Amino acid sequence: MQREQGIKEIERTRIIAIVRGVKEQHIVGVADALFEGGVTVMEVTLNTPGALDMIAGLQSHCGERMYIGAGTVLDLDDAKRAVAAGASFIVTPNLDEDVIRWCKAEEIPIFPGAMTPTEIVKAWKAGATAVKVFPSASLGLPYIKELMGPLDHIPMMAVGGVTESNIKQFLDIGCYGLGIGGSLINLKEIEAGNFAWVKEKAASLLAAARG
């Protein structure tokens, strides 16, 4: 999936599935379940064993219909390795301006993590596609809403703590996108081969997001 199409998918669904800790033999089943549930954007975190091979495999298996990226990218070396493996976008938990500038130069969408207003503005000025407010599970909805007062020109993503019960609230305050991990990528269900659970959860989150 090309950059423009991938960005459109983020803007359409507003959900990025965060795939962490999934075993390589299950990754295709997870991707198919997400797609069938309506979630077309997923990141594989680099602290997942075999992440680079999974990203490469996913691009071959479903890269035409899904937008596949890399998460937990900590530095420039990580970013380059992820892109070489086939990652179409980059997500970081931290603010590394070298990573942002490199991604911008390479025309790769980059969603860097930032917490404070200073970090968020720095990330945006360096060339972020949107800024990931992290950890939003701890900071909470009111914190992000306050940030959007003076920083409403910067698209922000909430990552952590997003569920069916509050997803609409995050979108209503103006979040550009939502990174959803554990409440969607349930390792226990996946390990049991219950990919239908992931499909149903994806569909449920999308339905809740649309009200």
Side-chain angles (χ1 to χ4, degrees):
M1 190 176 284
Q2 297 301 314
R3 174 192 170 105
E4 292 76 17
Q5 187 183 358
I7 293 295
K8 284 180 181 177
E9 285 302 294
I10 295 175
E11 292 173 351
R12 182 181 70 83
T13 67
R14 302 294 176 183
I15 294 174
I16 297 175
I18 302 171
V19 179
R20 188 189 311 277
V22 171
K23 293 180 179 177
E24 196 164 352
Q25 64 262 37
H26 296 142
I27 194 66
V28 166
V30 169
D32 288 345
L34 288 170
F35 181 78
E36 290 166 10
V39 173
T40 54
V41 184
M42 63 186 289
E43 64 171 90
V44 179
T45 67
L46 292 193
N47 61 347
T48 296
L52 296 177
D53 288 339
M54 288 192 224
I55 290 168
L58 287 169
Q59 286 292 13
S60 297
H61 174 72
C62 58
E64 291 184 1
R65 66 179 188 271
M66 295 189 73
Y67 199 40
I68 309 297
T72 316
V73 173
L74 300 180
D75 53 35
L76 190 52
D77 286 341
D78 276 355
K80 289 180 177 179
R81 288 189 299 117
V83 170
S88 296
F89 65 91
I90 296 295
V91 184
T92 77
N94 59 312
L95 172 58
D96 188 318
E97 292 175 88
D98 289 339
V99 172
I100 300 171
R101 292 190 185 102
W102 181 79
C103 286
K104 184 180 181 182
E106 297 293 321
E107 297 187 339
I108 298 160
I110 168 72
F111 306 101
M115 184 176 76
T116 67
T118 299
E119 290 174 343
I120 291 166
V121 172
K122 273 188 179 180
W124 182 244
K125 286 185 174 179
T129 308
V131 180
K132 162 184 162 181
V133 180
F134 180 76
S136 57
S138 302
L139 298 168
L141 188 72
Y143 179 77
I144 298 174
K145 188 174 181 179
E146 281 190 71
L147 288 173
M148 288 182 175
L151 304 178
D152 60 343
H153 62 293
I154 300 176
M156 297 184 205
M157 298 173 60
V159 177
V162 180
T163 65
E164 291 105 316
S165 64
N166 63 18
I167 188 169
K168 188 68 164 54
Q169 292 175 277
F170 278 100
L171 293 174
D172 285 347
I173 66 167
C175 284
Y176 170 83
L178 305 166
I180 305 178
S183 65
L184 175 57
I185 307 300
N186 186 302
L187 296 181
K188 183 178 178 181
E189 297 293 346
I190 291 166
E191 190 71 24
N194 187 9
F195 299 112
W197 189 97
V198 177
K199 173 185 173 181
E200 290 164 9
K201 178 64 75 168
S204 178
L205 281 162
L206 273 174
R210 291 164 180 164

